[in-house]
Amino acid sequence: MTNNNNDIRVGIGYDVHKLTENRKLILGGVEIKYEKGLDGHSDADVLIHAVMDALLGAAALGDIGKHFPDSDKEYKGADSIDLLKHVGELLKNHGYAVINIDSVIAAQEPKLAPFIELMRSNISSALNIDTDRVSVKATTTERLGFEGRCEGISAQAVCSIKKAQ
C-alpha cells in the first residue's frame, strides 16, 4: 500500500520526571523559578519530550530514546528545544509537516498559567509552525498521585502530521 499526499497521521507522547533539588525546572523551554527541578539526563523538559514522542510516533520514526539515548554523553544536559528542532528537521526530511499539537502538563506546583504562551511560542518556533497550531494546557491532579504530592511532573501530547505537498 502506498501513501498519498493526503496521508494524515496522529501520534501520542507521554513523559514523566521526578522533582529533585539542585536542578532547574524547565518546561516548554521556559526556566521557571521553583524550589525543585526535574531530574533527567537532558534538561528533563517533560513537555518537550512528550511533544517529540508524539511527533516521532506519528511518523513511525521511533521515540526519543532511540534518537537521543540517555546512554549517550552527547545528550547529557541537552536543551530539549534543540532536540525538538532536530525532530522537526527529521520529520521534514521524511516528507511530513505538522498540522497541530495539543498537550497538557500535570503538576500540582508551581502554577504554570503565566508561562503557557511562552511555551507555545517556543514549540512553534522550534518547529517553524504558527503558534495557533500549538496548544499547551496545565492542570493539577487535586493532590492525587505523584504529581499531586509534588514528587514529579508529567506531560502528554497528541499531534497530527501530514505528508508535505
Side-chain angles (χ1 to χ4, degrees), residues 75-118:
Y75 303 114
K76 178 75 174 156
D79 181 335
S80 292
I81 290 291
D82 290 338
L83 302 180
L84 179 59
K85 289 176 184 176
H86 179 80
V87 168
E89 284 299 312
L90 191 61
L91 288 175
K92 183 179 173 183
N93 292 341
H94 280 83
Y96 291 104
V98 177
I99 297 173
N100 77 309
I101 298 166
D102 186 20
S103 62
V104 61
I105 306 165
Q108 194 65 42
E109 296 176 359
K111 294 296 180 196
L112 300 175
F115 308 102
I116 296 293
E117 291 308 311
L118 185 52

mmCIF file of all heavy atoms in Angstrom, residues 75-118:
data_model
loop_
_atom_site.group_PDB
_atom_site.id
_atom_site.type_symbol
_atom_site.label_atom_id
_atom_site.label_comp_id
_atom_site.label_asym_id
_atom_site.label_seq_id
_atom_site.Cartn_x
_atom_site.Cartn_y
_atom_site.Cartn_z
ATOM 1 N N TYR A 75 24.100 13.925 24.914
ATOM 2 C CA TYR A 75 22.813 14.479 25.303
ATOM 3 C C TYR A 75 22.726 14.814 26.788
ATOM 4 O O TYR A 75 21.683 15.259 27.262
ATOM 5 C CB TYR A 75 21.680 13.539 24.888
ATOM 6 C CG TYR A 75 21.723 13.280 23.402
ATOM 7 C CD1 TYR A 75 22.004 12.015 22.903
ATOM 8 C CD2 TYR A 75 21.546 14.315 22.493
ATOM 9 C CE1 TYR A 75 22.079 11.785 21.540
ATOM 10 C CE2 TYR A 75 21.627 14.101 21.127
ATOM 11 C CZ TYR A 75 21.889 12.841 20.657
ATOM 12 O OH TYR A 75 21.977 12.625 19.301
ATOM 13 N N LYS A 76 23.804 14.640 27.520
ATOM 14 C CA LYS A 76 23.828 14.986 28.945
ATOM 15 C C LYS A 76 23.594 16.490 29.082
ATOM 16 O O LYS A 76 24.323 17.305 28.514
ATOM 17 C CB LYS A 76 25.175 14.588 29.571
ATOM 18 C CG LYS A 76 25.304 14.942 31.030
ATOM 19 C CD LYS A 76 24.497 14.007 31.877
ATOM 20 C CE LYS A 76 24.768 14.282 33.358
ATOM 21 N NZ LYS A 76 23.669 13.831 34.178
ATOM 22 N N GLY A 77 22.535 16.866 29.790
ATOM 23 C CA GLY A 77 22.203 18.268 29.989
ATOM 24 C C GLY A 77 21.682 18.973 28.750
ATOM 25 O O GLY A 77 21.577 20.203 28.721
ATOM 26 N N ALA A 78 21.324 18.229 27.709
ATOM 27 C CA ALA A 78 20.893 18.826 26.439
ATOM 28 C C ALA A 78 19.662 19.704 26.618
ATOM 29 O O ALA A 78 18.790 19.440 27.447
ATOM 30 C CB ALA A 78 20.594 17.726 25.423
ATOM 31 N N ASP A 79 19.601 20.743 25.810
ATOM 32 C CA ASP A 79 18.449 21.636 25.734
ATOM 33 C C ASP A 79 17.401 20.935 24.872
ATOM 34 O O ASP A 79 17.621 20.696 23.680
ATOM 35 C CB ASP A 79 18.880 22.959 25.109
ATOM 36 C CG ASP A 79 17.763 23.978 25.000
ATOM 37 O OD1 ASP A 79 16.571 23.596 24.940
ATOM 38 O OD2 ASP A 79 18.083 25.173 24.948
ATOM 39 N N SER A 80 16.264 20.619 25.461
ATOM 40 C CA SER A 80 15.232 19.871 24.738
ATOM 41 C C SER A 80 14.664 20.637 23.552
ATOM 42 O O SER A 80 14.207 20.022 22.589
ATOM 43 C CB SER A 80 14.120 19.441 25.695
ATOM 44 O OG SER A 80 14.618 18.482 26.600
ATOM 45 N N ILE A 81 14.693 21.952 23.591
ATOM 46 C CA ILE A 81 14.236 22.728 22.436
ATOM 47 C C ILE A 81 15.136 22.440 21.234
ATOM 48 O O ILE A 81 14.652 22.297 20.104
ATOM 49 C CB ILE A 81 14.191 24.236 22.753
ATOM 50 C CG1 ILE A 81 13.054 24.550 23.735
ATOM 51 C CG2 ILE A 81 14.044 25.066 21.480
ATOM 52 C CD1 ILE A 81 11.649 24.391 23.178
ATOM 53 N N ASP A 82 16.448 22.308 21.462
ATOM 54 C CA ASP A 82 17.349 21.942 20.368
ATOM 55 C C ASP A 82 17.032 20.554 19.836
ATOM 56 O O ASP A 82 17.085 20.318 18.622
ATOM 57 C CB ASP A 82 18.815 21.998 20.827
ATOM 58 C CG ASP A 82 19.292 23.418 21.061
ATOM 59 O OD1 ASP A 82 18.702 24.370 20.505
ATOM 60 O OD2 ASP A 82 20.269 23.582 21.826
ATOM 61 N N LEU A 83 16.681 19.638 20.735
ATOM 62 C CA LEU A 83 16.305 18.288 20.300
ATOM 63 C C LEU A 83 15.007 18.323 19.497
ATOM 64 O O LEU A 83 14.868 17.603 18.502
ATOM 65 C CB LEU A 83 16.171 17.356 21.508
ATOM 66 C CG LEU A 83 17.409 17.213 22.401
ATOM 67 C CD1 LEU A 83 17.124 16.257 23.554
ATOM 68 C CD2 LEU A 83 18.626 16.772 21.610
ATOM 69 N N LEU A 84 14.071 19.181 19.913
ATOM 70 C CA LEU A 84 12.808 19.322 19.180
ATOM 71 C C LEU A 84 13.066 19.861 17.774
ATOM 72 O O LEU A 84 12.431 19.419 16.809
ATOM 73 C CB LEU A 84 11.847 20.237 19.943
ATOM 74 C CG LEU A 84 10.492 20.498 19.290
ATOM 75 C CD1 LEU A 84 9.711 19.208 19.054
ATOM 76 C CD2 LEU A 84 9.688 21.482 20.138
ATOM 77 N N LYS A 85 13.986 20.800 17.635
ATOM 78 C CA LYS A 85 14.349 21.306 16.306
ATOM 79 C C LYS A 85 14.857 20.163 15.432
ATOM 80 O O LYS A 85 14.516 20.073 14.247
ATOM 81 C CB LYS A 85 15.413 22.392 16.417
ATOM 82 C CG LYS A 85 14.913 23.685 17.002
ATOM 83 C CD LYS A 85 16.049 24.686 17.174
ATOM 84 C CE LYS A 85 15.569 25.948 17.851
ATOM 85 N NZ LYS A 85 16.672 26.894 18.118
ATOM 86 N N HIS A 86 15.665 19.288 16.023
ATOM 87 C CA HIS A 86 16.180 18.128 15.287
ATOM 88 C C HIS A 86 15.031 17.222 14.839
ATOM 89 O O HIS A 86 15.016 16.739 13.707
ATOM 90 C CB HIS A 86 17.179 17.356 16.158
ATOM 91 C CG HIS A 86 17.739 16.146 15.503
ATOM 92 N ND1 HIS A 86 18.765 16.201 14.585
ATOM 93 C CD2 HIS A 86 17.389 14.843 15.602
ATOM 94 C CE1 HIS A 86 19.027 14.982 14.152
ATOM 95 N NE2 HIS A 86 18.209 14.136 14.759
ATOM 96 N N VAL A 87 14.061 16.992 15.730
ATOM 97 C CA VAL A 87 12.895 16.172 15.378
ATOM 98 C C VAL A 87 12.118 16.831 14.240
ATOM 99 O O VAL A 87 11.683 16.160 13.303
ATOM 100 C CB VAL A 87 11.998 15.922 16.610
ATOM 101 C CG1 VAL A 87 10.648 15.338 16.210
ATOM 102 C CG2 VAL A 87 12.703 14.997 17.602
ATOM 103 N N GLY A 88 11.964 18.149 14.302
ATOM 104 C CA GLY A 88 11.282 18.864 13.221
ATOM 105 C C GLY A 88 11.976 18.675 11.882
ATOM 106 O O GLY A 88 11.320 18.466 10.856
ATOM 107 N N GLU A 89 13.304 18.725 11.882
ATOM 108 C CA GLU A 89 14.070 18.506 10.651
ATOM 109 C C GLU A 89 13.928 17.059 10.168
ATOM 110 O O GLU A 89 13.823 16.809 8.964
ATOM 111 C CB GLU A 89 15.545 18.852 10.864
ATOM 112 C CG GLU A 89 15.816 20.335 10.899
ATOM 113 C CD GLU A 89 15.430 21.034 9.606
ATOM 114 O OE1 GLU A 89 15.801 20.551 8.516
ATOM 115 O OE2 GLU A 89 14.735 22.070 9.691
ATOM 116 N N LEU A 90 13.914 16.124 11.110
ATOM 117 C CA LEU A 90 13.742 14.719 10.765
ATOM 118 C C LEU A 90 12.393 14.498 10.084
ATOM 119 O O LEU A 90 12.302 13.811 9.058
ATOM 120 C CB LEU A 90 13.865 13.873 12.038
ATOM 121 C CG LEU A 90 13.965 12.376 11.907
ATOM 122 C CD1 LEU A 90 15.200 11.974 11.112
ATOM 123 C CD2 LEU A 90 14.016 11.745 13.293
ATOM 124 N N LEU A 91 11.343 15.101 10.635
ATOM 125 C CA LEU A 91 10.018 14.993 10.015
ATOM 126 C C LEU A 91 10.037 15.584 8.604
ATOM 127 O O LEU A 91 9.525 14.977 7.657
ATOM 128 C CB LEU A 91 8.963 15.708 10.856
ATOM 129 C CG LEU A 91 8.569 15.063 12.169
ATOM 130 C CD1 LEU A 91 7.600 15.960 12.925
ATOM 131 C CD2 LEU A 91 7.967 13.694 11.969
ATOM 132 N N LYS A 92 10.617 16.754 8.484
ATOM 133 C CA LYS A 92 10.697 17.422 7.176
ATOM 134 C C LYS A 92 11.442 16.548 6.173
ATOM 135 O O LYS A 92 11.004 16.393 5.027
ATOM 136 C CB LYS A 92 11.396 18.770 7.346
ATOM 137 C CG LYS A 92 11.475 19.585 6.088
ATOM 138 C CD LYS A 92 12.161 20.920 6.376
ATOM 139 C CE LYS A 92 12.412 21.674 5.092
ATOM 140 N NZ LYS A 92 13.146 22.930 5.340
ATOM 141 N N ASN A 93 12.554 15.955 6.620
ATOM 142 C CA ASN A 93 13.345 15.097 5.732
ATOM 143 C C ASN A 93 12.592 13.837 5.310
ATOM 144 O O ASN A 93 12.908 13.244 4.277
ATOM 145 C CB ASN A 93 14.670 14.714 6.391
ATOM 146 C CG ASN A 93 15.593 15.904 6.552
ATOM 147 O OD1 ASN A 93 15.435 16.923 5.885
ATOM 148 N ND2 ASN A 93 16.548 15.786 7.455
ATOM 149 N N HIS A 94 11.601 13.434 6.101
ATOM 150 C CA HIS A 94 10.770 12.279 5.748
ATOM 151 C C HIS A 94 9.473 12.702 5.057
ATOM 152 O O HIS A 94 8.575 11.875 4.846
ATOM 153 C CB HIS A 94 10.479 11.436 6.992
ATOM 154 C CG HIS A 94 11.605 10.544 7.374
ATOM 155 N ND1 HIS A 94 12.680 10.977 8.126
ATOM 156 C CD2 HIS A 94 11.851 9.249 7.082
ATOM 157 C CE1 HIS A 94 13.521 9.980 8.289
ATOM 158 N NE2 HIS A 94 13.050 8.914 7.657
ATOM 159 N N GLY A 95 9.371 13.978 4.736
ATOM 160 C CA GLY A 95 8.234 14.457 3.958
ATOM 161 C C GLY A 95 6.995 14.811 4.750
ATOM 162 O O GLY A 95 5.904 14.871 4.187
ATOM 163 N N TYR A 96 7.147 15.058 6.069
ATOM 164 C CA TYR A 96 5.983 15.375 6.902
ATOM 165 C C TYR A 96 5.957 16.823 7.337
ATOM 166 O O TYR A 96 7.007 17.441 7.550
ATOM 167 C CB TYR A 96 5.951 14.485 8.149
ATOM 168 C CG TYR A 96 5.657 13.047 7.842
ATOM 169 C CD1 TYR A 96 6.676 12.105 7.856
ATOM 170 C CD2 TYR A 96 4.375 12.633 7.516
ATOM 171 C CE1 TYR A 96 6.416 10.771 7.563
ATOM 172 C CE2 TYR A 96 4.103 11.307 7.210
ATOM 173 C CZ TYR A 96 5.129 10.386 7.244
ATOM 174 O OH TYR A 96 4.874 9.078 6.936
ATOM 175 N N ALA A 97 4.746 17.349 7.511
ATOM 176 C CA ALA A 97 4.518 18.681 8.059
ATOM 177 C C ALA A 97 3.584 18.541 9.263
ATOM 178 O O ALA A 97 2.660 17.713 9.248
ATOM 179 C CB ALA A 97 3.897 19.592 7.013
ATOM 180 N N VAL A 98 3.813 19.333 10.273
ATOM 181 C CA VAL A 98 2.979 19.297 11.480
ATOM 182 C C VAL A 98 1.674 20.037 11.213
ATOM 183 O O VAL A 98 1.678 21.177 10.733
ATOM 184 C CB VAL A 98 3.712 19.945 12.677
ATOM 185 C CG1 VAL A 98 2.816 19.959 13.909
ATOM 186 C CG2 VAL A 98 5.017 19.215 12.961
ATOM 187 N N ILE A 99 0.561 19.382 11.515
ATOM 188 C CA ILE A 99 -0.748 20.028 11.417
ATOM 189 C C ILE A 99 -1.038 20.743 12.730
ATOM 190 O O ILE A 99 -1.320 21.930 12.748
ATOM 191 C CB ILE A 99 -1.868 19.007 11.108
ATOM 192 C CG1 ILE A 99 -1.624 18.362 9.746
ATOM 193 C CG2 ILE A 99 -3.235 19.697 11.153
ATOM 194 C CD1 ILE A 99 -2.580 17.221 9.427
ATOM 195 N N ASN A 100 -0.995 20.006 13.827
ATOM 196 C CA ASN A 100 -1.215 20.633 15.132
ATOM 197 C C ASN A 100 -0.673 19.763 16.259
ATOM 198 O O ASN A 100 -0.396 18.573 16.069
ATOM 199 C CB ASN A 100 -2.691 20.946 15.370
ATOM 200 C CG ASN A 100 -3.487 19.718 15.732
ATOM 201 O OD1 ASN A 100 -3.419 18.711 15.045
ATOM 202 N ND2 ASN A 100 -4.229 19.789 16.824
ATOM 203 N N ILE A 101 -0.525 20.386 17.419
ATOM 204 C CA ILE A 101 -0.068 19.725 18.644
ATOM 205 C C ILE A 101 -0.977 20.175 19.773
ATOM 206 O O ILE A 101 -1.248 21.375 19.920
ATOM 207 C CB ILE A 101 1.393 20.107 18.979
ATOM 208 C CG1 ILE A 101 2.333 19.644 17.869
ATOM 209 C CG2 ILE A 101 1.804 19.540 20.338
ATOM 210 C CD1 ILE A 101 3.717 20.253 17.943
ATOM 211 N N ASP A 102 -1.448 19.233 20.565
ATOM 212 C CA ASP A 102 -2.220 19.540 21.769
ATOM 213 C C ASP A 102 -1.519 18.843 22.923
ATOM 214 O O ASP A 102 -1.181 17.657 22.822
ATOM 215 C CB ASP A 102 -3.660 19.037 21.620
ATOM 216 C CG ASP A 102 -4.547 19.467 22.784
ATOM 217 O OD1 ASP A 102 -4.188 20.427 23.493
ATOM 218 O OD2 ASP A 102 -5.604 18.842 22.977
ATOM 219 N N SER A 103 -1.275 19.564 23.994
ATOM 220 C CA SER A 103 -0.518 18.990 25.110
ATOM 221 C C SER A 103 -1.061 19.461 26.448
ATOM 222 O O SER A 103 -1.746 20.491 26.533
ATOM 223 C CB SER A 103 0.965 19.376 24.987
ATOM 224 O OG SER A 103 1.109 20.780 25.049
ATOM 225 N N VAL A 104 -0.729 18.686 27.479
ATOM 226 C CA VAL A 104 -1.125 19.050 28.839
ATOM 227 C C VAL A 104 -0.007 18.654 29.795
ATOM 228 O O VAL A 104 0.599 17.590 29.654
ATOM 229 C CB VAL A 104 -2.469 18.397 29.241
ATOM 230 C CG1 VAL A 104 -2.390 16.880 29.222
ATOM 231 C CG2 VAL A 104 -2.940 18.903 30.600
ATOM 232 N N ILE A 105 0.275 19.535 30.740
ATOM 233 C CA ILE A 105 1.250 19.284 31.800
ATOM 234 C C ILE A 105 0.460 19.047 33.076
ATOM 235 O O ILE A 105 -0.432 19.829 33.410
ATOM 236 C CB ILE A 105 2.181 20.504 32.013
ATOM 237 C CG1 ILE A 105 2.847 20.915 30.714
ATOM 238 C CG2 ILE A 105 3.202 20.205 33.108
ATOM 239 C CD1 ILE A 105 3.479 22.298 30.761
ATOM 240 N N ALA A 106 0.795 17.989 33.824
ATOM 241 C CA ALA A 106 0.163 17.707 35.118
ATOM 242 C C ALA A 106 1.173 18.010 36.213
ATOM 243 O O ALA A 106 2.198 17.331 36.327
ATOM 244 C CB ALA A 106 -0.292 16.255 35.185
ATOM 245 N N ALA A 107 0.888 19.060 36.977
ATOM 246 C CA ALA A 107 1.770 19.485 38.066
ATOM 247 C C ALA A 107 0.933 20.171 39.137
ATOM 248 O O ALA A 107 0.150 21.072 38.821
ATOM 249 C CB ALA A 107 2.836 20.443 37.552
ATOM 250 N N GLN A 108 1.099 19.774 40.371
ATOM 251 C CA GLN A 108 0.404 20.446 41.464
ATOM 252 C C GLN A 108 0.980 21.842 41.673
ATOM 253 O O GLN A 108 0.260 22.799 41.910
ATOM 254 C CB GLN A 108 0.515 19.625 42.757
ATOM 255 C CG GLN A 108 -0.442 20.070 43.842
ATOM 256 C CD GLN A 108 -1.889 19.842 43.466
ATOM 257 O OE1 GLN A 108 -2.243 18.817 42.903
ATOM 258 N NE2 GLN A 108 -2.740 20.814 43.755
ATOM 259 N N GLU A 109 2.282 21.923 41.611
ATOM 260 C CA GLU A 109 3.022 23.178 41.756
ATOM 261 C C GLU A 109 4.176 23.153 40.779
ATOM 262 O O GLU A 109 4.653 22.072 40.430
ATOM 263 C CB GLU A 109 3.591 23.315 43.182
ATOM 264 C CG GLU A 109 2.571 23.395 44.264
ATOM 265 C CD GLU A 109 3.221 23.419 45.652
ATOM 266 O OE1 GLU A 109 4.472 23.348 45.753
ATOM 267 O OE2 GLU A 109 2.476 23.485 46.631
ATOM 268 N N PRO A 110 4.663 24.287 40.373
ATOM 269 C CA PRO A 110 4.149 25.645 40.555
ATOM 270 C C PRO A 110 3.006 25.923 39.584
ATOM 271 O O PRO A 110 2.734 25.129 38.684
ATOM 272 C CB PRO A 110 5.367 26.515 40.222
ATOM 273 C CG PRO A 110 6.099 25.725 39.184
ATOM 274 C CD PRO A 110 5.901 24.278 39.584
ATOM 275 N N LYS A 111 2.369 27.054 39.752
ATOM 276 C CA LYS A 111 1.322 27.466 38.815
ATOM 277 C C LYS A 111 1.974 27.810 37.489
ATOM 278 O O LYS A 111 2.948 28.550 37.428
ATOM 279 C CB LYS A 111 0.534 28.663 39.361
ATOM 280 C CG LYS A 111 -0.258 28.326 40.612
ATOM 281 C CD LYS A 111 -1.325 27.300 40.312
ATOM 282 C CE LYS A 111 -2.132 26.957 41.556
ATOM 283 N NZ LYS A 111 -2.904 25.736 41.384
ATOM 284 N N LEU A 112 1.448 27.268 36.407
ATOM 285 C CA LEU A 112 2.092 27.396 35.107
ATOM 286 C C LEU A 112 1.410 28.369 34.150
ATOM 287 O O LEU A 112 1.980 28.703 33.110
ATOM 288 C CB LEU A 112 2.194 26.013 34.460
ATOM 289 C CG LEU A 112 3.014 25.000 35.266
ATOM 290 C CD1 LEU A 112 2.960 23.630 34.598
ATOM 291 C CD2 LEU A 112 4.448 25.474 35.440
ATOM 292 N N ALA A 113 0.224 28.839 34.498
ATOM 293 C CA ALA A 113 -0.524 29.722 33.598
ATOM 294 C C ALA A 113 0.301 30.906 33.073
ATOM 295 O O ALA A 113 0.208 31.224 31.880
ATOM 296 C CB ALA A 113 -1.803 30.218 34.271
ATOM 297 N N PRO A 114 1.132 31.552 33.891
ATOM 298 C CA PRO A 114 1.892 32.697 33.370
ATOM 299 C C PRO A 114 2.915 32.343 32.286
ATOM 300 O O PRO A 114 3.415 33.234 31.609
ATOM 301 C CB PRO A 114 2.624 33.247 34.609
ATOM 302 C CG PRO A 114 1.885 32.703 35.779
ATOM 303 C CD PRO A 114 1.315 31.390 35.340
ATOM 304 N N PHE A 115 3.218 31.063 32.111
ATOM 305 C CA PHE A 115 4.274 30.639 31.197
ATOM 306 C C PHE A 115 3.761 29.957 29.926
ATOM 307 O O PHE A 115 4.542 29.654 29.028
ATOM 308 C CB PHE A 115 5.228 29.679 31.930
ATOM 309 C CG PHE A 115 5.730 30.237 33.232
ATOM 310 C CD1 PHE A 115 5.186 29.809 34.433
ATOM 311 C CD2 PHE A 115 6.728 31.198 33.253
ATOM 312 C CE1 PHE A 115 5.634 30.333 35.638
ATOM 313 C CE2 PHE A 115 7.195 31.717 34.448
ATOM 314 C CZ PHE A 115 6.642 31.288 35.647
ATOM 315 N N ILE A 116 2.466 29.712 29.864
ATOM 316 C CA ILE A 116 1.889 28.928 28.768
ATOM 317 C C ILE A 116 2.154 29.548 27.402
ATOM 318 O O ILE A 116 2.557 28.851 26.458
ATOM 319 C CB ILE A 116 0.374 28.705 28.990
ATOM 320 C CG1 ILE A 116 0.125 27.876 30.248
ATOM 321 C CG2 ILE A 116 -0.278 28.085 27.746
ATOM 322 C CD1 ILE A 116 0.596 26.454 30.196
ATOM 323 N N GLU A 117 1.937 30.840 27.247
ATOM 324 C CA GLU A 117 2.107 31.466 25.936
ATOM 325 C C GLU A 117 3.555 31.393 25.468
ATOM 326 O O GLU A 117 3.818 31.168 24.276
ATOM 327 C CB GLU A 117 1.606 32.909 25.938
ATOM 328 C CG GLU A 117 0.096 33.022 26.066
ATOM 329 C CD GLU A 117 -0.666 32.174 25.054
ATOM 330 O OE1 GLU A 117 -0.339 32.232 23.843
ATOM 331 O OE2 GLU A 117 -1.586 31.439 25.460
ATOM 332 N N LEU A 118 4.503 31.548 26.382
ATOM 333 C CA LEU A 118 5.914 31.440 26.000
ATOM 334 C C LEU A 118 6.255 30.000 25.614
ATOM 335 O O LEU A 118 7.012 29.774 24.660
ATOM 336 C CB LEU A 118 6.818 31.922 27.133
ATOM 337 C CG LEU A 118 8.317 31.967 26.832
ATOM 338 C CD1 LEU A 118 8.622 32.732 25.552
ATOM 339 C CD2 LEU A 118 9.063 32.574 28.016
#
